[in-house]
Amino acid sequence: MREEPADLPICLTCGTQYRGRRTDCPVCSDERQYVRPGGQRWTDLGELRAQGHAGRFEEEGPRVLGVGCRPAVAIGQRALILRTESGNVLWDCVPYLDDDMVGRIKQIGGLSAIAVSHPHFYGAMVEWAHAFDAPVHLHAADKAWVGRPDPSLRFWDGETYRLSEELTLINGAVHFPGSSVLHWDAGDGALFTGDTIHVCPDSRWVTVMYSYPNHIPERPQAVRNAANVLGRYRFERVYGAWWGRVVTRDGNAVLSRSMARYLRFETGADGGGG
């Protein structure tokens, strides 16, 4: 593992790593996130390692390995390693990494690329990029949220970007302007969404929000546009942001009826009242 400074600050609320000490976390100051009542709090990789955090690996689907840490840090998301024909790709990121995790991932072939859905999951992405000599693909519309600029970060724009013959990044533009999902065109197809499209506890449904912690709904037109864009792709499975949040069948139908339900309630088209 490349030698990295272990004291770069990590926001304890959202998990974003920054290149230097600061008093605020812009990601948490934004209305989509929050600052804890006790004020801004920080940690770093050295402290997390000393506290006994360790990697967590679990299979989440066919050729999809979940990776995170225990105890969980910040919002507790897990990332996913897609074992594709052209190499392993990390989808989304987490705020933690250690030598044992790097060694285990290198045993299965390392990482050829990293792609992140939106700023809440930037985590320690530069740390991961350096450990595996892998580029990180981010949508340019969210460039302002990067806390640790680095040459490993590759910005794309527009509606789609092809990572490989099998993998396409798609800008759905819900939750953040650059929010993206990843489509894997292999087998029955799969869609990786983070929480830009959130897999519900009842995995027959997904949903969207502008802010989850502050319960701010997404704009109906943004939801319509995302549903139209993603409806062009075929996928059986949908992978959300947290352990076990996976739609295992009928992914296209789940997305279609979920977006229709959201719009029905948000626009009042069901005839109900608030």
Side-chain angles (χ1 to χ4, degrees):
M1 179 175 174
R2 172 176 168 175
E3 192 66 30
E4 297 281 346
D7 63 348
L8 293 181
I10 294 173
C11 174
L12 201 54
T13 301
C14 73
T16 300
Q17 186 185 55
Y18 290 88
R19 64 179 168 185
R21 295 290 164 184
R22 55 186 305 138
T23 58
D24 68 322
C25 171
V27 173
C28 287
S29 299
D30 178 68
E31 64 185 354
R32 281 161 288 209
Q33 185 55 14
Y34 63 94
V35 178
R36 299 182 185 204
Q40 180 62 46
R41 295 177 60 194
W42 300 98
T43 187
D44 57 52
L45 283 173
E47 183 175 65
L48 293 173
R49 291 164 184 163
Q51 290 171 348
H53 289 265
R56 175 181 174 184
F57 294 85
E58 294 182 18
E59 297 289 340
E60 287 279 76
R63 296 163 59 193
V64 177
L65 178 65
V67 57
C69 73
R70 55 164 62 94
V73 178
I75 59 177
Q77 80 272 17
R78 54 99 172 92
L80 295 167
I81 297 175
L82 287 56
R83 290 168 286 198
T84 79
E85 295 296 330
S86 55
N88 296 331
V89 173
L90 183 73
W91 169 247
D92 274 336
C93 201
V94 295
Y96 186 75
L97 186 64
D98 60 31
D99 288 337
D100 288 338
M101 295 171 70
V102 172
R104 178 160 177 176
I105 293 169
K106 285 186 175 179
Q107 286 179 352
I108 62 170
L111 300 175
S112 61
I114 299 168
V116 184
S117 60
H118 72 292
H120 291 156
F121 293 167
Y122 284 177
M125 60 186 176
V126 172
E127 204 86 21
W128 283 77
H130 290 178
F132 299 100
D133 192 24
V136 183
H137 299 274
L138 309 171
H139 198 280
D142 292 338
K143 186 175 183 178
W145 298 102
V146 170
R148 184 182 173 185
D150 189 81
S152 64
L153 305 182
R154 311 285 175 81
F155 296 95
W156 60 279
D157 57 21
E159 186 177 285
T160 63
Y161 179 79
R162 290 293 292 270
L163 278 180
S164 70
E165 284 295 315
E166 298 177 74
L167 299 175
T168 303
L169 286 163
I170 308 162
N171 175 217
V174 290
H175 195 38
F176 275 81
S179 284
S180 304
V181 302
L182 180 64
H183 180 252
W184 191 359
D185 187 16
D188 293 325
L191 196 67
F192 298 81
T193 63
D195 70 356
T196 64
I197 295 175
H198 177 67
V199 177
C200 299
D202 179 351
S203 61
R204 296 174 300 171
W205 298 91
V206 298
T207 193
V208 289
M209 291 287 281
Y210 180 76
S211 169
Y212 290 97
N214 298 319
H215 306 289
I216 305 173
E218 184 52 275
R219 299 150 298 163
Q221 189 56 50
V223 176
R224 290 189 190 96
N225 290 343
N228 289 336
V229 169
L230 298 179
R232 302 170 195 160
Y233 297 84
R234 176 186 57 86
F235 48 90
E236 187 75 2
R237 301 172 71 89
V238 181
Y239 291 84
W242 282 272
W243 296 101
R245 292 296 181 91
V246 180
V247 174
T248 58
R249 58 191 297 267
D250 298 331
N252 283 100
V254 168
L255 179 69
S256 178
R257 68 170 176 258
S258 296
M259 297 301 96
R261 180 175 73 170
Y262 180 95
L263 291 167
R264 190 169 66 249
F265 277 89
E266 186 59 26
T267 61
D270 65 331

